[in-house]
Amino acid sequence: MFFPFKKILLFSICFMTVGLLVAQKPATTTAADIHDDIKRLNVLASALFVAAPPDDENTRMISWLSNKMRARTAYLSLTRGDGGQNLIGTELAELLGVMRTQELLMARSIDGGQQFFTRATDFGYSKHPDETLKIWNKDAVLSDVVWTIRNFQPDIIINRFDHKSAGKTHGHHTSSAVLSYEAFDLVGDAEAYPDQLKYVNPWQPKRLFFNTSWCFYGSRENFAKADKTNLLSVDIGAYYPLKGKSNNEIAAESRSMHKCQGMGSTPSRGSMQEYLEFLKGDKPVDKENPFAGINTTWSRLKGGAAIGQLIENIGENFDYENPQNSVPDLVKAYTMAEALPDSYWKKVKLEDIQNVIHDCLGIFLDATASDFSATPGESTELKIEAITRTGNNIVLKSIDYLPLGIDTMINTEMGSNERIVFNKKITFPKNQKFTNPYWLTEKGSYGMYKVTDRQLIGLAETPRDLRVRFNFEINKRPFAFHRNIVYKKTDPVKGEVYRPFEITPPVFTNITNKVFVFPDQEGRSVEVLVKAGQADLKGTLKLAYPDGWKIAPASIDFNLAQKGEEETFRFTLYPPEGQDVGLVSPIATVNGKVYTKGINVIDYDHIPVQTVFQNEEAKVVKIDLKKAGDRIGYIMGAGDKIPESLEQIGYRVDLLEDKDIRSDNLKKYDAVIVGIRAYNTNERIKFQQPKLMKYVENGGTVIVQYNTAHRLKTKDLGPFPFKLSRKRVSTEEAEVRILKPGHSVINYPNKITSADFDGWVQERGLYFPSEWDDRYEAILSSNDPGEPANDGGLLVAKHGTGHFVYSGYSWFRELPAGVPGAYRLFTNLISIGK
């Protein structure tokens, strides 16, 4: 069957520029980097690493493949990690997925890999791949894996997890291996997912491996005794003199980019073995080289051998002081490659050679906007800068502004270290698309993001339409280099700071709270922040609300004169008499057009600023709720939204710092609540703990939420010992049994029944204690289907005249989600002893 290469080429351009989309300060390239890239030009090898979720990649292996083997290497993470926790902020769900996507891209910029995803969501912990693949839609995710392999065309595939480990580890882990294992036999079959063949050809990788280790054998002793006949062993502890770093040092830097998951890593140095279990394909004879027997030279392309010899000569004659001397031969190699028959590797190597030419000449190109955003139909001023620091025989012919169809003729010979700088005003069309993560454009399902554009599937980011193309003539050959339009400013502390340039709606409407809880019939104020995406913004704001509720006023007019100006407007919402759950959504009308998007800005130093537009909505919950007590002290842990949730039902919540945790201050609180993973993340907690226990002894109530047994700052989490485990109940519908129906936390001030465990989200709880002192009372019991009961999810103990509570139930998810029963039971915990 014949597949037109032109269609492959169109998608490949999008696939292979993904690493350039991150708006950050341009990287500097040393002569050592250039020389290494020249050597890399002579390696036509590729490897795909497969796992899920984002932080389960083996950065040591990815770095070794990319830097030691100089193979084109990518990581396919089946999810974006949107179901995890956040140790450095409050972003969760989709926003956490955006954040973790950027952390992966930054990791790949360090270890040299590329990054891809499927449409699968991280819906939380899963104990079995059968559950995972049912929720994900197995066929759709398998299609995405096949699609990625056909596009990236790896010679080898390496699974991070064992496809035979069902029920032994996270279901997402096993599922990633299962799908990769199945895809290996499908990617070369034209009958499998034939709809893809409009864009790609079938492709058959040479071999499939499993990146095993002693962990999968239960112990180092078991692994030492194991039959290793089917294992390759590679030493990934290589040292790279030109980089001044070992492979493991690079890998640790890469791993440490997973900051929101607390994955900071200290590198090990020296020799270190990684093991690859051969699963399928052509078994290599050399057990130290996963590419053994695969032609990874230019001779794999018809007519390519001479190019390989030329590039080898370029590398041997490279002048570190004058890298521009390599340009004439690099241009010759480019011309020779251009004459080869069309293929995947031709496209890849043409781009690689062009990038090396760019770096040899010390080319710097920039296209920066006067502001970080504009709306469709607006104009912006661009500052264009071009400079070549070395070389000659270079002419800047013209500059194109894509996709606007306008250009600037230059036709100027570039002198060494001379720059061209000018301003250009451009106007965006009225139908210009908003910049936004493509997987969040349409509402998906619980297990899958909805992406209707085939050519976007797999990409880490949305390709930026707005680019500037610099058209050069180098040694009488045309070359074009692209730059995304970005925003740049000078920060008085950080210096030069880049930010992605955004096309935004003219107006944003954000509800200040995502859940409104009504414990009685009183109306509550619903605040909507209206922000102007452009100047002179006039319009009308309304609030969509569920049947049976009432609102006043019906609408509010707004008038914002300056771009970026914002104003908060208040509606009063009145609940129905009975318990009810619904949604409210702001609707802004400007010039006859309706806008429903809120704006979320994710701003951390280690990743580029991310601007996300989502349909804004808030949950409104009328519940039958009584409470005792009024004032809460809260010690933050890894970050959650429980303080705001408690304020929703009338508590006064103070966030406690170290100086506030003293006996004379704590006694004014009805309860002190310790946030999630505080005993893992708060270095001062070991000094605060005795004061908290003294507060309990004197009549106070302390509620400690879940922690993990790993990296505890103190072993004593309560007044009496208990042991944390990895036990969890991942099924949110799992039965919850009341072990102590007569206990006060089940009866006061709210009578708790099985109905209070309806409507929970993502999970019941996690890291339940497995053992505890007899002085604790276990209140609740739950378990996933087919597993023994977990009784340790809610432990209560009297200590002195007060009460201590430890709970592994996931309040940090349930309260911000507005789950009525979770509010009722958590209020009872606060009210204990009242």
Side-chain angles (χ1 to χ4, degrees), residues 557-797:
D557 293 333
F558 57 84
N559 187 345
L560 303 176
Q562 300 181 65
K563 178 180 178 179
E565 185 178 350
E566 55 189 44
E567 187 173 350
T568 299
F569 299 95
R570 293 172 177 82
F571 296 88
T572 302
L573 185 65
Y574 298 91
E577 290 188 6
Q579 186 161 296
D580 193 30
V581 177
L583 297 172
V584 295
S585 303
I587 301 172
T589 303
V590 177
N591 296 327
K593 289 187 175 182
V594 172
Y595 298 93
T596 59
K597 301 288 187 184
I599 184 171
N600 298 279
V601 178
I602 303 172
D603 189 358
Y604 294 91
D605 286 344
H606 67 295
I607 59 175
V609 175
Q610 298 297 296
T611 306
V612 183
F613 316 122
Q614 291 180 287
N615 285 327
E616 191 76 354
E617 61 184 22
K619 194 172 186 179
V620 291
V621 183
K622 171 60 179 7
I623 60 176
D624 177 17
L625 181 71
K626 302 179 182 66
K627 67 184 184 71
D630 174 65
R631 197 165 187 182
I632 305 296
Y634 201 94
I635 301 172
M636 291 298 292
D640 60 60
K641 296 183 178 180
I642 287 183
E644 301 98 300
S645 300
L646 296 177
E647 289 173 343
Q648 285 282 321
I649 54 175
Y651 285 108
R652 290 188 295 163
V653 182
D654 296 335
L655 299 183
L656 303 182
E657 299 179 4
D658 195 44
K659 62 182 176 58
D660 302 317
I661 302 174
R662 59 183 196 277
S663 298
D664 63 319
N665 188 53
L666 293 179
K667 65 183 181 181
K668 67 185 179 185
Y669 294 110
D670 294 295
V672 173
I673 302 172
V674 184
I676 59 172
R677 298 190 66 177
Y679 289 84
N680 300 127
T681 61
N682 183 348
E683 294 290 343
R684 299 289 300 171
I685 198 76
K686 60 186 176 183
F687 304 114
Q688 299 165 357
Q689 183 69 0
K691 301 174 187 177
L692 293 174
M693 294 303 100
K694 191 67 176 178
Y695 162 72
V696 173
E697 190 176 358
N698 292 335
T701 297
V702 167
I703 302 169
V704 175
Q705 297 176 78
Y706 97 92
N707 289 267
T708 70
H710 184 54
R711 294 179 178 175
L712 285 170
K713 305 303 179 184
T714 176
K715 64 179 182 179
D716 299 318
L717 275 64
F720 316 117
F722 60 89
K723 182 179 180 181
L724 295 178
S725 73
R726 296 186 61 84
K727 293 182 179 181
R728 61 200 302 159
V729 182
S730 61
T731 304
E732 57 267 32
E733 301 91 357
E735 178 190 6
V736 178
R737 298 170 294 277
I738 299 174
L739 300 177
K740 301 281 185 178
H743 198 284
S744 63
V745 299
I746 300 300
N747 295 281
Y748 180 81
N750 303 288
K751 176 65 177 178
I752 302 301
T753 69
S754 60
D756 288 299
F757 299 99
D758 293 342
W760 282 47
V761 299
Q762 187 159 329
E763 62 194 351
R764 288 298 190 195
L766 60 170
Y767 302 109
F768 289 173
S770 57
E771 301 175 19
W772 51 89
D773 189 279
D774 290 341
R775 283 167 285 189
Y776 288 105
E777 293 184 90
I779 307 299
L780 302 176
S781 178
S782 186
N783 55 271
D784 281 319
E787 295 189 356
N790 288 315
D791 296 345
L794 180 58
L795 302 178
V796 179

Side-chain angles (χ1 to χ4, degrees), residues 258-295:
H258 294 291
K259 297 187 185 301
C260 71
Q261 301 302 296
M263 294 292 176
S265 179
T266 298
S268 57
R269 297 169 180 85
S271 180
M272 177 181 290
Q273 299 300 122
E274 284 281 352
Y275 296 90
L276 300 175
E277 179 182 337
F278 173 75
L279 299 179
K280 284 185 180 182
D282 175 22
K283 190 172 184 178
V285 176
D286 184 349
K287 298 184 69 172
E288 295 182 353
N289 180 7
F291 293 100
I294 301 174
N295 186 355

Side-chain angles (χ1 to χ4, degrees), residues 294-368:
I294 301 174
N295 186 355
T296 60
T297 72
W298 277 91
S299 65
R300 75 186 291 172
L301 303 183
K302 185 178 180 180
I307 302 173
Q309 184 59 56
L310 174 58
I311 291 174
E312 185 175 343
N313 293 338
I314 295 171
E316 290 175 352
N317 296 316
F318 183 74
D319 183 348
Y320 276 77
E321 294 291 334
N322 299 285
Q324 69 273 15
N325 291 347
S326 297
V327 170
D329 282 340
L330 285 167
V331 172
K332 182 179 179 181
Y334 186 93
T335 303
M336 294 169 66
E338 202 172 35
L340 297 177
D342 286 338
S343 69
Y344 169 84
W345 277 111
K346 172 185 173 179
K347 170 66 184 88
V348 169
K349 289 304 176 182
L350 283 174
E351 184 173 315
D352 289 347
I353 296 170
Q354 178 168 294
N355 288 337
V356 175
I357 292 171
H358 170 283
D359 293 341
C360 283
L361 295 174
I363 294 176
F364 176 85
L365 307 170
D366 223 4
T368 57

Side-chain angles (χ1 to χ4, degrees), residues 72-127:
R72 185 173 170 81
T73 307
Y75 172 40
L76 171 60
S77 175
L78 269 58
T79 75
R80 296 177 185 267
D82 34 301
Q85 287 94 51
N86 185 352
L87 298 188
I88 62 174
T90 59
E91 293 86 359
L92 292 173
E94 294 91 350
L95 295 181
L96 179 60
V98 172
M99 186 173 171
R100 295 184 73 179
T101 294
Q102 291 301 315
E103 289 187 335
L104 272 178
L105 286 171
M106 296 305 295
R108 299 293 80 78
S109 72
I110 293 170
D111 60 36
Q114 297 182 52
Q115 184 63 52
F116 303 119
F117 297 92
T118 73
R119 290 170 290 173
T121 67
D122 180 352
F123 56 82
Y125 193 85
S126 171
K127 293 184 177 179

Side-chain angles (χ1 to χ4, degrees), residues 515-527:
V515 175
F516 293 88
V517 181
F518 295 75
D520 50 40
Q521 295 304 122
E522 295 294 319
R524 293 205 53 191
S525 176
V526 177
E527 297 182 346

Side-chain angles (χ1 to χ4, degrees), residues 407-666:
D407 59 24
T408 299
M409 299 305 297
I410 306 292
N411 207 29
T412 299
E413 185 165 354
M414 304 285 289
S416 182
N417 217 27
E418 294 181 4
R419 66 176 187 155
I420 295 174
V421 182
F422 63 91
N423 292 334
K424 176 74 174 182
K425 186 176 183 179
I426 61 173
T427 301
F428 305 109
K430 292 184 178 180
N431 63 350
Q432 181 68 47
K433 292 181 180 179
F434 301 143
T435 51
N436 206 39
Y438 69 86
W439 61 96
L440 299 180
T441 300
E442 299 183 70
K443 188 174 181 61
S445 65
Y446 180 56
M448 297 289 292
Y449 286 116
K450 184 177 181 181
V451 183
T452 54
D453 186 341
R454 159 60 63 188
Q455 297 195 70
L456 291 176
I457 294 173
L459 299 182
E461 295 181 292
T462 308
R464 295 278 170 159
D465 292 334
L466 301 173
R467 294 175 295 150
V468 174
R469 181 171 62 207
F470 295 80
N471 300 305
F472 283 87
E473 185 180 87
I474 300 171
N475 282 40
K476 303 189 182 304
R477 281 300 313 266
F479 290 92
F481 302 104
H482 295 78
R483 291 294 182 271
N484 291 325
I485 295 176
V486 296
Y487 172 69
K488 182 172 66 174
K489 69 175 183 179
T490 301
D491 184 274
V493 175
K494 302 174 186 176
E496 187 178 57
V497 176
Y498 282 77
R499 177 174 177 172
F501 179 77
E502 312 289 355
I503 298 294
T504 77
V507 61
F508 313 107
T509 53
N510 285 73
I511 301 182
T512 54
N513 291 312
K514 294 300 182 280
V515 175
F516 293 88
V517 181
F518 295 75
D520 50 40
Q521 295 304 122
E522 295 294 319
R524 293 205 53 191
S525 176
V526 177
E527 297 182 346
V528 180
L529 179 71
V530 177
K531 185 170 184 176
Q534 65 181 36
D536 299 322
L537 183 73
K538 298 178 182 179
T540 302
L541 179 68
K542 294 183 178 181
L543 198 66
Y545 56 94
D547 293 338
W549 297 65
K550 296 179 180 179
I551 198 163
S555 65
I556 302 173
D557 293 333
F558 57 84
N559 187 345
L560 303 176
Q562 300 181 65
K563 178 180 178 179
E565 185 178 350
E566 55 189 44
E567 187 173 350
T568 299
F569 299 95
R570 293 172 177 82
F571 296 88
T572 302
L573 185 65
Y574 298 91
E577 290 188 6
Q579 186 161 296
D580 193 30
V581 177
L583 297 172
V584 295
S585 303
I587 301 172
T589 303
V590 177
N591 296 327
K593 289 187 175 182
V594 172
Y595 298 93
T596 59
K597 301 288 187 184
I599 184 171
N600 298 279
V601 178
I602 303 172
D603 189 358
Y604 294 91
D605 286 344
H606 67 295
I607 59 175
V609 175
Q610 298 297 296
T611 306
V612 183
F613 316 122
Q614 291 180 287
N615 285 327
E616 191 76 354
E617 61 184 22
K619 194 172 186 179
V620 291
V621 183
K622 171 60 179 7
I623 60 176
D624 177 17
L625 181 71
K626 302 179 182 66
K627 67 184 184 71
D630 174 65
R631 197 165 187 182
I632 305 296
Y634 201 94
I635 301 172
M636 291 298 292
D640 60 60
K641 296 183 178 180
I642 287 183
E644 301 98 300
S645 300
L646 296 177
E647 289 173 343
Q648 285 282 321
I649 54 175
Y651 285 108
R652 290 188 295 163
V653 182
D654 296 335
L655 299 183
L656 303 182
E657 299 179 4
D658 195 44
K659 62 182 176 58
D660 302 317
I661 302 174
R662 59 183 196 277
S663 298
D664 63 319
N665 188 53
L666 293 179

